Amino acid sequence: MTVENKRPLTLRDVSEASGVSEMTVSRVLRNRGDVSEATRARVLAAAKALGYVPNKIAGALASNRVNLIAVIIPSLSNMVFPEVLTGINRVLEDTELQPVVGVTDYLPEKEERVLYEILSWRPSGVIIAGLEHSDAARAMLKAAGIPVVEIMDTDGKPVDAMVGISHRRAGREMARAIVEAGYRRIGFMGTKMPLDHRARKRFEGFTEKLAKHGIEIADRAFYSGGSALAKGREMTAQMLARSPDLDFLYYSNDMIGAGGLLYLLEKGYDIPGRIGLAGFNGVELLQGLPRQLATMDACRLEIGRKAAEIIVARLETPPREVENQVVLTPKISYGDTLKRG
Amino acid sequence: MTVENKRPLTLRDVSEASGVSEMTVSRVLRNRGDVSEATRARVLAAAKALGYVPNKIAGALASNRVNLIAVIIPSLSNMVFPEVLTGINRVLEDTELQPVVGVTDYLPEKEERVLYEILSWRPSGVIIAGLEHSDAARAMLKAAGIPVVEIMDTDGKPVDAMVGISHRRAGREMARAIVEAGYRRIGFMGTKMPLDHRARKRFEGFTEKLAKHGIEIADRAFYSGGSALAKGREMTAQMLARSPDLDFLYYSNDMIGAGGLLYLLEKGYDIPGRIGLAGFNGVELLQGLPRQLATMDACRLEIGRKAAEIIVARLETPPREVENQVVLTPKISYGDTLKRG
DNA sequence: TTGAAAGCGCTAACAC
DNA sequence: GTGTTAGCGCTTTCAA
């Protein structure tokens, strides 16, 4: 174990230590081309002894290949996105490709910045949440000349490929199920969503479908920040104080729905008889509540997986043809809080 | 808007479009050195018109500077780590530095691989969870010649800097509080933890302190996988069936603790009289439960923040001197499930 | 304030 | 099977 490793090691060091040309060392380290078993062994030994770590910066510049996949998502604290990442990882793990994550905090300007930064590393592909981007962002995505998969949402026109569910349809379906079950006085609770387009679309689909049945949302409330469980509890209490005749509460996510559920159970409400509840996302986290909240699976894992598969296929030589508009269809799970129609 | 952008744009393109030398274009784009306002404007205009995105690969190679900070964590599905990331982000956002995340799934071999991959991008610093690493990993960290901050845990010797809490002490403190409150028949539930060193250390500290009071864990159970809330519920039911005389349950994390709490409330147990409960982490998520679970804050945000601050300080020129062994001390929150001694 | 030359560490392409 | 040469797109350095 030598100590003075101030200057990082280079291929040249390995070359000198092993008495093999830099080029051949490079071949060995990348498993490229034919190298005799003997040289191969010598090189590997030298590299390991020195503790050589290749410089991908130089490699990428020379080969014009960067095995990075940019993944751009709005948030990490939402659980939804880590799950999508998990799906992406599952697929990329079997390849040379590595995901690099950028977080936008639901801010278009930040999305633009993050995209710019990450594209300046010349990744081989981009997976980005949502279909709504600034003109500049869209222009960058197009100009990058790499596969781009927009995920989560399919209500709109992608730059290139897309994988997701129709949130508008998800909203409609839930409205249908609720109406069919006989509920009529419906309240809605969700995040303030000027920038969460998917939540907005679900809400739009929901109200639209209700309207077809001649029903209008009877009450609504929006929150931001804080513990979702606590907010759900709090908002539910307030809403029922204000509109005691509601017979259904639709929550824009499962966490606030769970808060509402716990509150109503404590108060002794008859669920789903006197009042029904539903959330959205199908978060596994919540199994274990006293009652199973009605919800709709957002297909997070599957979305990540499919998106990564598209990227991988497109990057093969020659590119493998794949479906590049994948619309998944989430199923309602009625749980114990929504009567069957 | 031109269309055929197959070859990515280079500085040279901007140089030609603006009639300014590549070198000066580079200066403008980096805000380095004196450039006249006139040329500056021309260059910026040309760059924007073309949609030029700099190539950091080339820049990094030439300048030998990579403004990436490697962040290596065991998991993204734990909520704990996204929160640490948030803390890191908060600090790095005000700098040129960008975090790049690698996930190890609690596997030492994977940690080694991820570390190798990420170091081959020559980042300027590393933040890595835990103090336990393979010899090879430790060697790489040392050889990299960059600031390394090991986070979360302080029970051990860091390669370089460390920021965290003593999990052994956390376990001891909780044991003390429980004993002082008068509980005697104590059960433990947690993850299977051969590789989760922090959970293991908490457990060790816990049993050690109990032993000092002449108390031994009366029952224990371990789980892996699945919804933590459901597992907590299930394990609690099983344990109390098996050991009905337990008067306290210590859970290795808040999620399973919450599952247990919900179960016991349903069964009508007197909490914290007949039986007390405590978890670990202080997850904000759970505010909104019918009762507040006793817990201990793991200082996640603060850990991320401090770690990033150390990196930033060390990277200044000249390096700013900073405390590089930061031991935070979490406080017990008694909530509604642990009597005060 | 601007430009020209050299080279960062690696790999593609071609010789041998 | 192995080596040589010429860059990749930038920034450093130094000269003008």
Side-chain angles (χ1 to χ4, degrees):
Chain A
M1 270 237 208
T2 37
V3 177
E4 1 253 322
N5 272 342
K6 224 48 273 193
R7 172 182 64 78
L9 296 161
T10 67
L11 260 192
R12 165 169 231 119
D13 295 307
V14 182
S15 165
E16 282 169 3
S18 61
V20 175
S21 80
E22 281 188 49
M23 195 54 234
T24 301
V25 171
S26 167
R27 285 192 184 102
V28 171
L29 266 20
R30 285 176 301 144
N31 285 313
R32 278 275 190 307
D34 295 323
V35 181
S36 77
E37 212 21 80
T39 17
R40 189 184 160 64
R42 269 169 55 208
V43 168
L44 253 19
K48 169 161 263 181
L50 293 172
Y52 172 70
V53 175
N55 185 332
K56 290 215 184 191
I57 305 265
L61 183 61
S63 67
N64 196 24
R65 260 195 301 264
V66 183
N67 54 356
L68 257 28
I69 303 300
V71 180
I72 299 185
I73 54 180
S75 156
L76 276 176
S77 28
N78 199 322
M79 268 339 268
V80 169
F81 299 105
E83 273 195 66
V84 174
L85 284 184
T86 303
I88 293 173
N89 260 319
R90 294 268 167 84
V91 173
L92 296 190
E93 256 170 6
D94 304 332
T95 72
E96 299 274 67
L97 301 169
Q98 292 203 342
V100 181
V101 178
V103 175
T104 69
D105 293 326
Y106 288 100
L107 303 172
E109 323 85 66
K110 192 158 181 203
E111 178 179 87
E112 211 174 297
R113 261 197 343 263
V114 166
L115 190 59
Y116 182 84
E117 286 295 323
I118 218 161
L119 284 180
S120 71
W121 286 102
R122 301 283 188 266
S124 296
V126 179
I127 297 176
I128 184 168
L131 291 164
E132 283 75 18
H133 314 290
S134 70
D135 289 344
R138 206 183 304 272
M140 282 191 261
L141 288 172
K142 278 189 184 138
I146 54 180
V148 174
V149 184
E150 288 168 276
I151 58 170
M152 313 301 290
D153 187 6
T154 59
D155 296 320
K157 202 174 151 297
V159 167
D160 177 0
M162 80 183 172
V163 179
I165 66 172
S166 164
H167 286 263
R168 232 181 274 279
R169 176 162 176 223
R172 283 200 307 264
E173 298 261 299
M174 189 54 89
R176 190 188 44 67
I178 291 169
V179 172
E180 279 177 4
Y183 300 103
R184 290 295 177 272
R185 297 278 305 159
I186 298 161
F188 176 87
M189 283 170 257
T191 47
K192 294 207 177 84
M193 49 193 170
L195 295 174
D196 183 345
H197 298 284
R198 291 172 291 284
R200 195 201 71 224
K201 288 171 182 176
R202 284 199 300 281
F203 182 65
E204 288 170 2
F206 187 69
T207 51
E208 179 191 298
K209 185 71 171 187
L210 288 184
K212 286 220 174 112
H213 289 277
I215 300 173
E216 222 178 298
I217 293 270
D219 198 351
R220 69 188 72 186
F222 303 95
Y223 77 101
S224 64
S227 154
L229 211 57
K231 285 287 178 186
R233 172 181 288 270
E234 194 178 297
M235 288 201 299
T236 303
Q238 286 166 3
M239 185 172 286
L240 285 175
R242 199 164 58 211
S243 316
D245 61 335
L246 294 178
D247 64 5
F248 201 92
L249 300 174
Y250 181 40
Y251 297 88
S252 82
N253 69 65
D254 284 346
M255 282 308 286
I256 56 172
L261 173 59
L262 289 173
Y263 171 80
L264 294 175
L265 288 174
E266 268 170 53
K267 294 293 171 194
Y269 276 82
D270 163 26
I271 300 173
R274 160 70 183 82
I275 192 164
L277 302 172
F280 180 82
N281 266 340
V283 297
E284 189 194 45
L285 205 77
L286 294 182
Q287 286 162 22
L289 286 180
R291 306 275 183 90
Q292 225 33 57
L293 183 68
T295 188
M296 214 159 173
D297 182 15
C299 309
R300 304 169 298 279
L301 216 85
E302 190 59 18
I303 287 174
R305 197 173 248 144
K306 276 260 178 300
E309 276 166 9
I310 290 176
I311 297 275
V312 169
R314 294 270 212 93
L315 256 25
E316 286 175 11
T317 41
R320 180 156 45 86
E321 287 296 325
V322 279
E323 184 57 68
N324 65 175
Q325 312 263 101
V326 180
V327 182
L328 302 170
T329 51
K331 289 271 167 295
I332 290 184
S333 95
Y334 285 79
D336 312 311
T337 68
L338 169 55
K339 290 182 285 187
R340 283 172 190 272
Chain B
M1 273 238 204
T2 36
V3 177
E4 1 255 321
N5 271 342
K6 223 50 270 191
R7 173 180 65 77
L9 296 161
T10 69
L11 260 191
R12 165 170 232 116
D13 296 306
V14 182
S15 164
E16 282 168 3
S18 64
V20 176
S21 80
E22 281 187 49
M23 195 52 240
T24 301
V25 171
S26 167
R27 286 193 183 99
V28 171
L29 264 20
R30 285 176 302 143
N31 284 312
R32 278 275 189 309
D34 295 323
V35 180
S36 75
E37 212 22 79
T39 15
R40 189 184 161 64
R42 268 172 51 210
V43 169
L44 254 18
K48 167 160 265 179
L50 293 173
Y52 173 70
V53 175
N55 184 332
K56 289 215 185 192
I57 305 264
L61 182 62
S63 67
N64 198 23
R65 262 194 299 266
V66 182
N67 56 355
L68 257 27
I69 303 300
V71 180
I72 299 187
I73 55 180
S75 156
L76 276 175
S77 30
N78 199 320
M79 263 345 261
V80 169
F81 300 105
E83 270 196 68
V84 174
L85 283 184
T86 303
I88 293 173
N89 260 319
R90 292 268 167 83
V91 174
L92 296 189
E93 256 170 6
D94 305 333
T95 73
E96 298 274 69
L97 300 169
Q98 292 204 343
V100 181
V101 178
V103 175
T104 69
D105 292 326
Y106 288 100
L107 302 173
E109 324 85 69
K110 189 158 183 204
E111 179 179 87
E112 214 175 293
R113 259 195 350 259
V114 167
L115 190 59
Y116 183 83
E117 286 295 323
I118 217 161
L119 285 180
S120 71
W121 287 101
R122 300 282 188 269
S124 296
V126 179
I127 297 176
I128 183 168
L131 292 164
E132 282 75 18
H133 314 290
S134 70
D135 289 344
R138 208 183 305 272
M140 282 191 260
L141 287 171
K142 278 189 185 136
I146 54 180
V148 174
V149 185
E150 288 167 274
I151 58 169
M152 314 300 290
D153 187 5
T154 58
D155 296 320
K157 203 175 151 296
V159 167
D160 178 1
M162 79 182 171
V163 180
I165 66 171
S166 163
H167 286 263
R168 235 182 270 281
R169 178 165 175 220
R172 285 200 306 265
E173 298 260 301
M174 189 54 89
R176 189 189 45 68
I178 291 169
V179 171
E180 279 177 4
Y183 299 104
R184 289 298 177 268
R185 299 279 304 160
I186 297 161
F188 177 87
M189 283 170 257
T191 46
K192 294 208 177 83
M193 51 193 168
L195 296 173
D196 184 344
H197 298 284
R198 291 172 290 285
R200 195 202 72 225
K201 288 171 181 176
R202 284 199 300 279
F203 182 63
E204 287 170 3
F206 187 69
T207 52
E208 179 191 298
K209 185 71 170 186
L210 288 183
K212 286 220 172 111
H213 290 276
I215 300 173
E216 223 178 296
I217 293 270
D219 197 352
R220 68 188 71 187
F222 304 94
Y223 77 101
S224 65
S227 155
L229 210 56
K231 285 286 177 189
R233 170 179 289 271
E234 194 179 298
M235 288 200 300
T236 303
Q238 286 166 4
M239 184 171 286
L240 284 174
R242 195 164 60 211
S243 317
D245 62 334
L246 294 177
D247 64 5
F248 202 93
L249 300 173
Y250 181 40
Y251 297 87
S252 81
N253 68 65
D254 284 347
M255 282 309 286
I256 55 172
L261 174 59
L262 289 173
Y263 172 79
L264 294 175
L265 287 174
E266 269 170 51
K267 295 293 171 195
Y269 276 80
D270 164 26
I271 300 174
R274 158 70 185 83
I275 192 163
L277 303 172
F280 180 83
N281 265 341
V283 297
E284 191 194 45
L285 205 79
L286 293 181
Q287 286 163 22
L289 285 181
R291 304 275 184 89
Q292 224 36 54
L293 183 69
T295 188
M296 212 159 174
D297 182 16
C299 308
R300 304 169 297 279
L301 216 85
E302 191 57 16
I303 287 174
R305 197 173 248 146
K306 275 262 180 295
E309 276 166 9
I310 291 176
I311 297 275
V312 170
R314 296 271 213 90
L315 256 22
E316 287 174 11
T317 42
R320 179 156 45 86
E321 286 295 325
V322 279
E323 185 58 68
N324 64 177
Q325 313 263 100
V326 180
V327 182
L328 303 169
T329 53
K331 290 272 167 294
I332 290 184
S333 95
Y334 285 80
D336 313 311
T337 68
L338 168 57
K339 291 182 287 188
R340 281 168 192 276

